[in-house]
Amino acid sequence: MFTQPIATLRHDGGSLVVLDQAQLPWRTVEHRLATLEDVAEAISAMRVRGAPLIGCVAAFGVAVALAGEAGDDAALDHALAVLRATRPTAVNLAWALNRMDACLRPLSPATRCEAAWVEAEAIRAEDAAMCEAIGAHGLGLLRALRVREGRALRVMTHCNAGWLATAGMGTALAPVYAACAEGLEVEVFVSETRPRNQGLLTAWELAAAGIRHTLIADNAAGLLLMRGEADAVIVGADRIAANGDTANKVGTYLKALAAHAAGVPFYIAAPASTFDPRTPYGEAIPVEERTADEVLFIDGLDGEGCPRRLRLVPEGIRAVNPAFDVTPAALVSGFITERGVFGIEGLAGFLQDVQV
Ligand code: MRU
């Protein structure tokens, strides 16, 4: 079983301690969340990020909110509403909060807080197990690709769907970790993922694990795919609609188009909690619009090694910042889930089986 080098979240007394991803890859700092407002801020400011992790943290957020409260319906409704409003695209958030609601609502107010910790812990443990299963199923896929190629396997990914984005070993990177643990030679192309550069988180993870990787500018992906320099693209997801259209970090769609044009398989790795049968197709997925400052400014280290934020463009230039895009199901070669790998034809059966 994969052990996270640093826990993305841990429960400590009546509060939650998370690894502050807003400070990575420059500083490794934990951040304590002692109130509902702390938890909501951590999710919306992306101190914690990645669809599965957001769901886990939101679940614990309900427990944090009910600690020291009467635990009545008003307190529960308030906690759920505040957490639900933090980020709109990753359906894992709503999924986890609906599950907390269904578990806690029938209970007496006095017992809800204790039950909330237990249920949140169950969600966390299930997420870790789902990641492990995604890794095992994805490993089968990578083995098959490698047999055909007979050399190091080159996987391209986007954003960060590694252990940082979950309570376990990640989704898109889980097959890579599983393959490396088995001794398969894998190289990962990591795209920067402007504007927030979550690709740097992926590079940081892979470097720590000793896995060969190469950082590329987002705009280089098309050329590499066209030249056949990647054998497969594997990305995570924030919400998969009933028809298989998939929302993921902005820039994913362009990779899917380029992979399709180049005949390179394009896989989505995600647990059942990322599938949303209530959203019929991609256009119905809410796409988060974040502040333009994320485009206008960039974070890095100065000459002394101190974290700094730099303005990239002169004052007065307008920017828009959609945080996600939607890849049509037709561009997806397969979904790597905890139940196995399937194409679009297997989606209806999967949704029926897991009943999310
Ligand atoms: O905005 P973020 O960093 O939370 O977006 C993350 C992604 O888009 C990931 O690819 C997705 O959540 C899957 S994480 C296992």
Side-chain angles (χ1 to χ4, degrees), residues 205-224:
E205 269 193 37
L206 294 173
I211 295 173
R212 196 162 132 200
H213 61 284
T214 305
L215 186 66
I216 58 167
D218 295 327
N219 292 334
L223 181 74
L224 295 189

Side-chain angles (χ1 to χ4, degrees), residues 114-203:
E114 189 55 38
W117 287 112
V118 172
E119 188 68 359
E121 186 52 41
I123 289 174
R124 193 200 61 74
E126 285 169 31
D127 183 64
M130 284 194 280
C131 290
E132 203 80 20
I134 287 170
H137 291 298
L139 171 61
L141 199 67
L142 295 190
R143 274 199 207 111
L145 284 170
R146 187 169 184 269
V147 167
R148 271 210 303 277
E149 300 291 337
R151 53 156 169 72
L153 191 82
R154 298 157 311 178
V155 174
M156 183 180 286
T157 191
H158 187 60
C159 193
N160 172 266
W163 62 263
L164 283 168
T166 67
M169 73 194 291
T171 57
L173 289 189
V176 171
Y177 285 127
C180 291
E182 206 185 67
L184 286 186
E185 215 190 317
V186 182
E187 174 175 5
V188 184
F189 286 111
V190 177
S191 56
E192 224 177 358
T193 317
R194 278 280 293 147
R196 285 187 66 105
N197 292 329
Q198 290 98 322
L200 302 187
L201 303 178
T202 298

